[in-house]
Amino acid sequence: GENVEQHPSTLSVQEGDSAVIKCTYSDSASNYFPWYKQELGKGPQLIIDIRSNVGEKKDQRIAVTLNKTAKHFSLHITETQPEDSAVYFCAAFWNDYKLSFGAGTTVTVRA
Amino acid sequence: DGGITQSPKYLFRKEGQNVTLSCEQNLNHDAMYWYRQDPGQGLRLIYYSQIVNDFQKGDIAEGYSVSREKKESFPLTVTSAQKNPTAFYLCASSIALGQGTDTQYFGPGTRLTVL
């Protein structure tokens, strides 16, 4: 099955700096890679996603890059703000129905 | 106001009891899912349903059961056979299964605690 590894597990950044989270996946057939943000006690919220026919996607301060050859994808948050503090999950979609999730990255933005 | 609702938000259960978690969506999505989340871990798939009256086991289905009698509803029962049921349970839905319709949207979750 698909195995998704996510690094780092915790990330502390100064407000205004950038944050980068990296994920690797094992199944080359995976074709869809969403990122979710989860605040304490709430359900995950989709923040950005990318499909395998695209190398990069950007939405305001958030961007995702995908390297299919190396089987890794990354989330980039620029100009971080206190409200960006949360747990972020990457996921890979495979086998036509299944999302495999990384273990999560706890991001803390220091004011 | 479209979305996914889960109830209750918090649920306490005594050992040996079955409990049912509610999940309702008004997004007109065909596919629905149940995940379990434990501290410091990613989400693990319990069951999923592609369409009404159909559902399939995920990775950790033992000790759980589901039904899908209506398109908008996908309740999860945690049975007494589930050895370690204390966790945060998340329901999700997508337009359908398969590429292009696979974006999953999550509800707010139910935190189940076994006393």
Side-chain angles (χ1 to χ4, degrees):
Chain A
E2 175 67 280
N3 182 41
V4 177
E5 294 191 357
Q6 183 173 346
H7 299 280
S9 57
T10 61
L11 181 59
S12 180
V13 297
Q14 189 69 37
E15 182 178 357
D17 288 349
S18 295
V20 180
I21 304 170
K22 298 181 179 180
C23 290
T24 61
Y25 60 99
S26 59
D27 192 334
S28 58
S30 293
N31 54 26
Y32 171 62
F33 307 91
W35 284 89
Y36 290 88
K37 174 184 180 182
Q38 187 177 28
E39 297 177 347
L40 193 62
K42 297 184 178 180
Q45 178 186 7
L46 179 72
I47 56 172
I48 196 167
D49 56 13
I50 191 167
R51 297 197 181 270
S52 57
N53 58 346
V54 175
E56 183 175 359
K57 184 177 179 181
K58 190 173 182 180
D59 183 4
Q60 299 183 357
R61 296 186 298 109
I62 295 174
V64 56
T65 59
L66 171 65
N67 184 325
K68 286 183 62 180
T69 303
K71 290 189 283 188
H72 67 70
F73 56 112
S74 300
L75 177 72
H76 304 253
I77 307 173
T78 59
E79 300 173 15
T80 53
Q81 302 169 5
E83 53 264 37
D84 294 329
S85 295
V87 180
Y88 292 81
F89 291 96
C90 64
F93 187 81
W94 66 287
N95 208 22
D96 286 337
Y97 75 93
K98 188 171 178 180
L99 268 181
S100 291
F101 286 83
T105 297
T106 301
V107 174
T108 303
V109 179
R110 307 187 306 273
Chain B
D1 193 19
I4 303 173
T5 57
Q6 292 185 241
S7 62
K9 186 173 177 66
Y10 299 97
L11 186 56
F12 298 89
R13 190 195 92 173
K14 294 181 180 179
E15 285 193 20
Q17 287 183 335
N18 293 353
V19 289
T20 298
L21 283 60
S22 170
C23 177
E24 303 277 333
Q25 55 96 3
N26 60 5
L27 300 169
N28 200 32
H29 286 175
D30 280 324
M32 297 187 73
Y33 314 79
W34 274 106
Y35 290 89
R36 171 182 171 137
Q37 185 176 31
D38 293 285
Q41 296 188 33
L43 284 66
R44 293 183 290 168
L45 183 65
I46 304 172
Y47 268 97
Y48 68 100
S49 168
Q50 185 174 2
I51 201 167
V52 174
N53 293 322
D54 176 76
F55 49 84
Q56 304 295 330
K57 293 181 179 180
D59 297 325
I60 56 167
E62 185 176 352
Y64 300 98
S65 66
V66 294
S67 63
R68 186 85 188 277
E69 298 176 0
K70 298 186 296 182
K71 185 176 183 176
E72 59 271 21
S73 179
F74 191 40
L76 173 74
T77 296
V78 184
T79 74
S80 56
Q82 169 50 232
K83 300 302 181 188
N84 185 20
T86 294
F88 191 47
Y89 290 87
L90 289 159
C91 177
S93 71
S94 64
I95 294 174
L97 292 183
Q99 189 174 3
T101 60
D102 40 28
T103 302
Q104 293 186 21
Y105 300 93
F106 285 84
T110 291
R111 184 165 300 280
L112 173 63
T113 303
V114 174
L115 303 174

